[in-house]
C-alpha cells in the first residue's frame, strides 16, 4: 500500500491541475447513506416533486433530515472532506466534482466545487418558483419556506416541474465536464460512477485517472492506479 500512496503523491506532484471526483462513499459514515433506506420505502420520483412537497412538506423534511441534514449540520464534514479542502488551500487540488447534495465540501472549506446533481445551496419555491441560494435555510429545525409566498422550498435540481431544474442540471454537468477537461490528473473517491460517462468523456488524452475505493467499481478497468484503501489514509499519506 505504501507504494501506491507514493505513486499517488508522485502523480500529484507532477500534476499542474488535479481534480477530485467524489460520491456518497466519502459521506456514508456520517449518515448520508440512509437516503436509500429512507427513499427506498417510498417512490423517489413522487417524493422529489413539487406537488409532493407542497402536499406533505413535513414528510419531505423528515426524509431529508434522516438522509442528509443530520449528517450535514450535526456531524459535519468527514476527514476526507477536510483533507480535500486542505489540498485545495495548498494549491495542490484545483477543484471538486461531486454527485453529493450535502454541501459538506463547502462546509469543510472547499471553494471550487461543482455539484452536478444540485445541492441544498440552490433551492426553489415549489409554488412561485423563487430561488434561494443558502444551504443554511435547511439548518433551522423545520421545513424551509419561501420568503415571498410561504410555500415550502426544495433543492432546485430535483424540482422537475420547473424548467429551471433542467437548466440547472445541464449547466452543472457542463461545468463538471469543463473542469474535467482541464485536468491532467483525476482522482475518483468513493463513487461507483453515477453519470460518469457525461464528464469523463471530456478527459484529455494523457490525463491520469486514480481511483481510491475499497470496493470494485467500473473505474477499475480504466484507472491508471487503483488504491484499495480508505480515502482518509491515502490522502493523509499525500498530505
Amino acid at each position: 500500500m505504501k507504494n501506491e500512496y507514493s505513486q499517488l503523491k508522485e502523480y500529484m506532484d507532477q500534476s499542474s491541475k488535479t481534480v477530485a471526483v467524489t460520491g456518497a462513499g466519502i459521506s456514508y459514515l456520517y449518515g448520508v447513506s440512509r437516503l436509500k433506506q429512507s427513499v427506498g420505502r417510498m417512490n423517489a420520483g413522487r417524493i422529489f416533486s413539487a406537488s409532493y412537497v407542497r402536499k406533505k412538506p413535513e414528510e419531505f423534511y423528515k426524509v431529508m433530515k434522516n438522509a442528509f441534514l443530520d449528517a450535514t449540520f450535526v456531524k459535519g464534514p468527514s476527514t476526507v472532506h477536510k483533507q480535500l479542502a486542505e489540498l485545495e488551500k495548498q494549491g495542490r487540488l484545483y477543484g471538486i466534482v461531486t454527485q453529493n447534495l450535502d454541501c459538506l465540501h463547502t462546509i469543510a472549506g472547499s471553494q471550487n466545487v461543482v455539484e452536478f446533481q444540485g445541492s441544498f445551496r440552490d433551492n426553489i419555491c415549489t409554488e412561485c418558483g423563487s430561488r434561494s441560494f443558502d444551504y443554511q435555510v435547511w439548518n433551522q429545525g423545520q421545513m424551509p419556506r419561501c420568503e415571498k409566498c410561504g410555500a415550502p422550498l426544495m433543492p432546485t435540481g430535483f424540482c422537475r416541474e420547473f424548467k429551471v431544474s433542467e437548466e440547472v442540471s445541464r449547466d452543472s454537468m457542463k461545468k463538471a465536464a469543463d473542469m474535467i477537461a482541464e485536468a491532467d490528473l483525476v482522482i475518483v473517491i468513493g463513487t461507483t460512477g453515477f453519470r460518469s460517462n457525461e464528464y469523463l468523456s471530456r478527459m484529455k488524452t494523457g490525463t491520469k485517472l486514480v481511483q481510491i475505493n475499497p470496493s470494485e467499481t467500473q473505474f477499475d478497468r480504466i484507472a491508471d492506479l487503483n488504491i484499495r484503501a480508505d480515502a482518509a489514509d491515502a490522502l493523509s499519506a499525500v498530505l
Side-chain angles (χ1 to χ4, degrees), residues 12 50 53 79 88 102 105 147 178 226 237:
M12 293 192 71
V53 175
T79 299
E88 183 183 13
D102 52 37
H105 283 301
E147 293 183 355
D178 287 347
N226 279 302

Side-chain angles (χ1 to χ4, degrees), residues 23-34 75 81 102 214 230:
I26 71 166
S27 300
Y28 79 95
L29 293 176
Y30 291 73
V32 173
S33 64
R34 286 182 292 176
K75 296 182 179 179
H81 291 104
D102 52 37
D230 185 285

Side-chain angles (χ1 to χ4, degrees), residues 16 21 29 82 86 92 107 112 120 126 140 188 207 232 235:
S16 61
V21 176
L29 293 176
K82 295 174 183 177
E86 178 60 26
R92 301 168 69 191
I107 295 172
N112 194 13
F120 290 100
T126 55
Q140 302 171 359
V188 178
T207 296
L235 295 180

Side-chain angles (χ1 to χ4, degrees), residues 31-95:
V32 173
S33 64
R34 286 182 292 176
L35 174 65
K36 293 180 180 179
Q37 300 171 11
S38 301
V39 177
R41 294 190 292 269
M42 309 163 82
N43 184 293
R46 178 169 55 94
I47 293 173
F48 293 112
S49 69
S51 57
Y52 180 88
V53 175
R54 282 195 299 267
K55 293 176 183 177
K56 298 184 177 182
E58 299 312 318
E59 288 296 321
F60 181 79
Y61 179 76
K62 185 184 296 184
V63 171
M64 295 300 99
K65 184 176 186 298
N66 290 337
F68 293 110
L69 304 181
D70 284 347
T72 296
F73 297 116
V74 178
K75 296 182 179 179
S78 69
T79 299
V80 178
H81 291 104
K82 295 174 183 177
Q83 289 171 322
L84 291 173
E86 178 60 26
L87 285 169
E88 183 183 13
K89 183 179 179 181
Q90 293 179 6
R92 301 168 69 191
L93 182 69
Y94 174 66

